[in-house]
Amino acid sequence: MAFPIYSINLTMIKINNLSKKFGHLTAVENISFQVKPGEVLGFLGPNGAGKSTTMKMITGFLTPSAGEIELCGFNVNDKPIEAKQRIGYLPEGAPSYGEMTPLQYLEFIAQVRQLSGQKKIERNKEVIERLHLDKVLNQSIDTLSKGFKRRVGLAQAILHDPEVLILDEPTDGLDPNQKFEVRELIKSISPEKVIVISTHILGEVDAICSRAIIIADGKILADDTPDGLRSKSSSDKMDDIFREITSGKIS
Amino acid sequence: MRNIITIFKRELSSYFATPVAYVFIVIFLIMSGALTFYLGNYFERGQADLNPFFQFHPWLYLFLVPAIAMRLWAEERKTGSIELLMTLPISVGQSVVGKYLAAWMFIGIALILTFPIWITVNYLGSPDNGVILAAYIGSFLMAGGFLAIGSCISAMTKNQVIAFIITVVICFLFLLAGSPLVLNFFKAWIPQNIVDAISSLSFLTHFISISKGVIDLRDIIYFVSLIGFWLYANTIIVDLKKAD
């Protein structure tokens, strides 16, 4: 028998037959997928495809109508606190408490995440450096630009160095330089983590994702590496491939 | 417990980060003073007690507490920060209690700042300070009751104006549950023992009995269970409506 260190399949996110209905509207219909450590999964799809709804279910904000979600071995609905401790989440639009300063806000998150002492100081210093927040630390979040608000939201998500990172449109509203920096940040933390991002920007998939799931009308239309997707289409451009898949020309 | 304290601290400091705290405290102090001296005839009565001060508290709270409570959850839902709060490793109940306690403490601070009137009455005469302490406790408990109702209603809507108005109406009904206005409405079609039960829910009756200096366990139990009931309902509603 083999030594069992690597024989355990370290799947961090396991989703089985997940559905979400809002009244008569089916936002997510029977989707299943798994994500392993080191993977950066890009969630692509037209507006209203069910990307955000799926992410909200993974993070425990929405309760699924049917199906199971397991995070690092914890069922999100049965063990919500344990699951939430392992996630960093940037919700769509990066909501936060506007009357606080980034410094106060990070202190609050650190307390919730039970960081203390040297560890807290180190993590604080690192996220402030990585997201270039040092100049705005003592300004209330309400008065910050959209780009800074997004970066404060990202800082909040990665502060506790989570095993699973769920980012809903992390680069939305950032200028090209900031986009580049956020992508570099995601790349630098990806090797040992699971990262799921949703995006409209298809170039981002090539830049950072090791795998892409295309969803529309709540269903998974494609689940492949960026190169795998490319091989299905006559075109080499991600935009064309996306359009072909979501309009039903190829599957 | 640790999470409740974290939420409590964040909430309480957020009151003082905006003008809300200062506006509320100033208005509360001015109004309670004005009502005591002008409508309560504090001096003319020639008695060394704080009845003229405390008798207006139910009516002051009727408008000021819903103003504090309306933002508790409606604002979280409006700005979307509820999505952040509900995806942190904190239970819904802990968030509800933490936010509630911070708002209650804030009202308590405003109440404590009315101490000059206590100094005044002690300077002018020799009042029964035990009765005054009991009345302060009763006033604080009553504020807690109003606040629990307001917190629960605030979770039902994203619109703070709607939360405010509905809370005022429900608080008004609770306040006057023992009065003919409310009881006559029920008397016609409800058995007498239920009418009696409704009348026993009156804030005013319980508050007046405490403010006379008699801290009856039943009055305390009344307010504590009322707060418990509304906060429990609050937790269920936040859980149901958080993502709407």
Side-chain angles (χ1 to χ4, degrees):
Chain A
M1 225 169 97
F3 197 62
I5 289 183
Y6 294 107
S7 65
I8 305 162
N9 189 358
L10 285 164
T11 306
M12 283 213 182
I13 303 180
K14 214 183 260 182
I15 292 177
N16 286 327
N17 306 101
L18 189 68
S19 293
K20 180 70 190 176
K21 289 193 177 79
F22 296 105
H24 292 295
L25 183 88
T26 304
V28 173
E29 198 178 345
N30 201 22
I31 67 171
S32 303
F33 62 88
Q34 302 189 343
V35 198
K36 293 189 186 72
E39 276 190 310
V40 180
L41 172 66
F43 239 42
L44 312 174
N47 286 328
K51 305 186 295 282
S52 288
T53 306
T54 306
M55 288 181 149
K56 283 174 185 176
M57 286 192 281
I58 297 173
T59 53
F61 184 56
L62 280 177
T63 313
S65 306
E68 301 272 306
I69 304 166
E70 209 176 87
L71 271 174
C72 312
F74 294 99
N75 186 304
V76 173
N77 289 307
D78 301 338
K79 297 257 179 234
I81 302 295
E82 287 82 352
K84 285 169 185 175
Q85 280 166 347
R86 287 160 177 83
I87 308 179
Y89 178 39
L90 175 73
E92 195 176 4
S96 62
Y97 292 107
E99 77 281 355
M100 299 176 106
T101 66
L103 200 61
Q104 293 168 334
Y105 185 57
L106 290 176
E107 173 62 31
F108 166 65
I109 297 294
Q111 284 176 17
V112 172
R113 298 292 187 184
Q114 307 198 355
L115 296 175
S116 58
Q118 197 56 36
K119 171 102 174 152
K120 182 170 90 180
I121 297 166
E122 274 169 25
R123 290 301 304 164
N124 245 324
K125 191 162 165 269
E126 186 175 343
V127 297
I128 289 166
E129 239 165 54
R130 274 189 153 177
L131 291 151
H132 308 283
L133 293 173
D134 43 324
K135 287 199 186 86
V136 298
L137 278 179
N138 293 307
Q139 225 178 306
S140 74
I141 296 173
D142 266 341
T143 64
L144 299 179
S145 68
K146 204 175 171 190
F148 268 119
K149 280 182 185 159
R150 188 64 42 127
R151 283 189 270 168
V152 170
L154 273 165
Q156 166 275 126
I158 62 170
L159 185 66
H160 56 301
D161 198 18
E163 294 162 61
V164 176
L165 202 51
I166 313 279
L167 308 173
D168 202 347
E169 301 192 357
T171 59
D172 185 44
L174 301 183
D175 68 38
N177 290 337
Q178 293 166 343
K179 277 186 178 135
F180 177 79
E181 278 173 13
V182 168
R183 284 173 201 160
E184 290 303 303
L185 174 81
I186 292 171
K187 269 192 233 171
S188 72
I189 49 182
S190 62
E192 70 276 33
K193 313 281 180 197
V194 159
I195 303 178
V196 179
I197 67 164
S198 75
T199 180
H200 285 298
I201 306 153
L202 296 161
E204 217 148 70
V205 179
D206 276 324
I208 49 177
C209 296
S210 58
R211 181 179 155 196
I213 286 183
I214 296 181
I215 87 172
D217 295 325
K219 293 182 200 113
I220 294 181
L221 299 181
D223 180 355
D224 212 333
T225 59
D227 287 333
L229 289 176
R230 211 168 262 114
S231 68
K232 288 181 185 171
S233 166
S234 51
S235 170
D236 197 40
K237 283 165 83 181
M238 222 13 123
D239 285 58
D240 295 330
I241 302 166
F242 177 78
R243 201 156 37 247
E244 283 173 28
I245 291 174
T246 52
S247 62
K249 280 181 195 154
I250 56 171
S251 61
Chain B
M1 197 60 208
R2 191 196 157 111
N3 286 338
I4 292 176
I5 294 168
T6 306
I7 297 283
F8 173 85
K9 282 197 293 191
R10 199 213 73 75
E11 284 286 318
L12 193 60
S13 65
S14 88
Y15 284 107
F16 293 96
T18 59
V20 173
Y22 305 101
V23 170
F24 179 88
I25 289 174
V26 168
I27 298 286
F28 180 75
L29 295 180
I30 291 175
M31 293 283 287
S32 62
L35 290 170
T36 307
F37 288 102
Y38 292 104
L39 287 178
N41 299 322
Y42 180 61
F43 288 129
E44 290 83 345
R45 287 170 76 246
Q47 288 179 29
D49 63 23
L50 285 181
N51 263 346
F53 170 66
F54 285 111
Q55 67 177 343
F56 293 108
H57 279 199
W59 308 103
L60 259 182
Y61 289 151
L62 182 58
F63 291 97
L64 290 180
V65 174
I68 289 295
M70 67 182 189
R71 51 170 289 287
L72 279 176
W73 291 98
E75 195 181 34
E76 292 263 357
R77 284 179 55 195
K78 185 95 179 171
T79 61
S81 56
I82 193 165
E83 186 166 355
L84 180 95
L85 186 61
M86 295 287 122
T87 51
L88 290 173
I90 299 175
S91 75
V92 179
Q94 288 168 341
S95 297
V96 167
V97 173
K99 283 171 82 78
Y100 171 80
L101 289 179
W104 200 14
M105 174 64 95
F106 173 66
I107 295 169
I109 291 170
L111 195 57
I112 287 169
L113 290 175
T114 61
F115 70 89
I117 200 143
W118 172 71
I119 293 172
T120 310
V121 78
N122 273 280
Y123 176 75
L124 293 172
S126 43
D128 185 342
N129 280 319
V131 174
I132 293 176
L133 180 66
Y136 265 112
I137 292 170
S139 176
F140 185 59
L141 281 172
M142 183 173 55
F146 280 124
L147 188 65
I149 294 173
S151 178
C152 180
I153 303 297
S154 169
M156 292 180 184
T157 172
K158 280 183 193 174
N159 189 318
Q160 297 194 26
V161 177
I162 293 175
F164 175 80
I165 293 172
I166 295 178
T167 305
V168 170
V169 170
I170 294 180
C171 288
F172 184 71
L173 291 178
F174 265 91
L175 197 54
L176 291 182
S179 75
L181 177 76
V182 174
L183 291 183
N184 286 344
F185 172 73
F186 289 110
K187 253 180 196 153
W189 49 282
I190 281 183
Q192 186 58 38
N193 50 1
I194 297 183
V195 174
D196 290 343
I198 292 172
S199 114
S200 73
L201 287 176
S202 168
F203 271 35
L204 217 45
T205 327
H206 290 279
F207 171 62
I208 288 170
S209 80
I210 297 179
S211 68
K212 281 180 184 146
V214 190
I215 301 187
D216 190 331
L217 192 62
R218 279 173 299 181
D219 295 322
I220 308 276
I221 289 173
Y222 165 75
F223 280 116
V224 170
S225 48
L226 181 105
I227 291 167
F229 168 80
W230 283 95
L231 289 187
Y232 181 68
N234 190 350
T235 306
I236 292 172
I237 290 168
V238 169
D239 206 25
L240 283 176
K241 301 204 69 157
K242 60 191 176 189
D244 283 6

